Amino acid sequence: MAMLKLSLAFDVLAFVFFLCFIMSTGSYQYFLFVQQWPPTTCAVRKKPCYQNPPSKIFTIHGLWPSNYSKNAWVANCNGTRFSNSLSPALESKLKKSWPDVESGNDTDFWGREWNKHGTCSEQTLDQELYFQRSHIIWKAFNITNILQNAKILPTGSKWDYADIASPIKTVTTKMPALRCKPDPTQPKNPNNLTMPHQLLHEVVLCLHYNGRVLIDCNHTSTCKNNLKILFQ
Ligand SMILES: *[C@@H]1O[C@H](CO)[C@@H](O)[C@H](O)[C@H]1NC(C)=O
Ligand SMILES: *[C@@H]1O[C@H](CO)[C@@H](O)[C@H](O)[C@H]1NC(C)=O
Ligand SMILES: *[C@@H]1O[C@H](CO)[C@@H](O)[C@H](O)[C@H]1NC(C)=O
Ligand SMILES: *[C@@H]1O[C@H](CO)[C@@H](O)[C@H](O)[C@H]1NC(C)=O
Ligand SMILES: *[C@@H]1O[C@H](CO)[C@@H](O)[C@H](O)[C@H]1NC(C)=O
């Protein structure tokens, strides 16, 4: 009898471990939540943007399930295709937080982001949840506001990486990652007196696998170490 109980206990335990296993593994390990600065998106674009002039508010680029390993690019998974059937209430929120800055077709942008990225985390967030969660994080951590309060204004000043990352970390308590783009108006080989710089393009917050809690972002910056960052 004691033996039976023990074996039952063992089975229960094994089942619990199994559940934990299927719940904690998936086709990705964590999320990048990427917000873009529209003036930079449009400055590096070959054609003029639909938003003209682009709005000076950080808006969502995407929520990207990712893996820690650099050569494990997670994208284009076998999930359901974008069904374009988000609730009207959510759609009207997304028009503010997740507009298609470049071409002006918001649903098309949402569809491309879902099909490329959202399909890889569908086991955690279905289509409605994926967009809802993104909107909630955008609203909860207002990057535009955080930088404004830290007197980091888009007036063409140049900053060090930490000047911009630190105030964001103070508010969110987790390390963000910045993404930069080369300034297309800057000479390729700056053999002159102007200090070379890069443009602040995107601010990334990292999220746990469950898409609910923030975690530190590591090694996900695309900014060059030795260059000042222009915010304009
Ligand atoms: C990402 O990590 C998950 C879980 O560890 C793994 O199942 C998946 O194959 C990885 N994806 C890629 C593209 O390496
Ligand atoms: C999707 O499914 C197809 C066919 O079953 C397979 O060839 C392909 O590798 C899958 N892609 C991913 C990203 O899982
Ligand atoms: C926006 O994109 C969707 C999906 O690609 C398409 O069906 C629709 O016709 C486009 N709308 C406009 C106004 O171009
Ligand atoms: C974010 O902050 C900016 C600047 O303070 C403000 O204009 C905007 O209304 C805020 N957005 C939201 C969704 O609260
Ligand atoms: C960042 O590094 C810390 C400590 O090494 C680790 O716990 C965390 O998961 C990492 N986060 C990312 C997004 O790489």
Side-chain angles (χ1 to χ4, degrees), residues 56-109:
K56 295 194 166 189
I57 290 181
F58 281 90
T59 51
I60 302 171
H61 179 175
L63 178 64
W64 303 342
S66 305
N67 277 7
Y68 293 117
S69 161
K70 277 235 185 306
N71 42 26
W73 180 242
V74 178
N76 303 313
C77 300
N78 281 326
T80 60
R81 309 301 292 170
F82 185 62
S83 61
N84 198 5
S85 57
L86 300 175
S87 71
L90 179 57
E91 279 199 358
S92 74
K93 288 178 188 164
L94 294 176
K95 287 197 162 294
K96 285 202 200 100
S97 58
W98 202 331
D100 183 352
V101 171
E102 295 183 68
S103 315
N105 189 333
D106 300 342
T107 22
D108 189 50
F109 185 30

Side-chain angles (χ1 to χ4, degrees), residues 4 8 45 59 65 90 97 101-102 110 114 130 137 139 163 183 193 210 218 220:
L4 193 64
L8 189 66
R45 193 175 192 252
T59 51
L90 179 57
S97 58
V101 171
E102 295 183 68
W110 304 336
W114 169 266
Y130 177 84
I137 305 162
K139 222 179 148 179
D163 296 333
D183 184 345
L193 296 175
N210 64 18
N218 309 325
T220 47

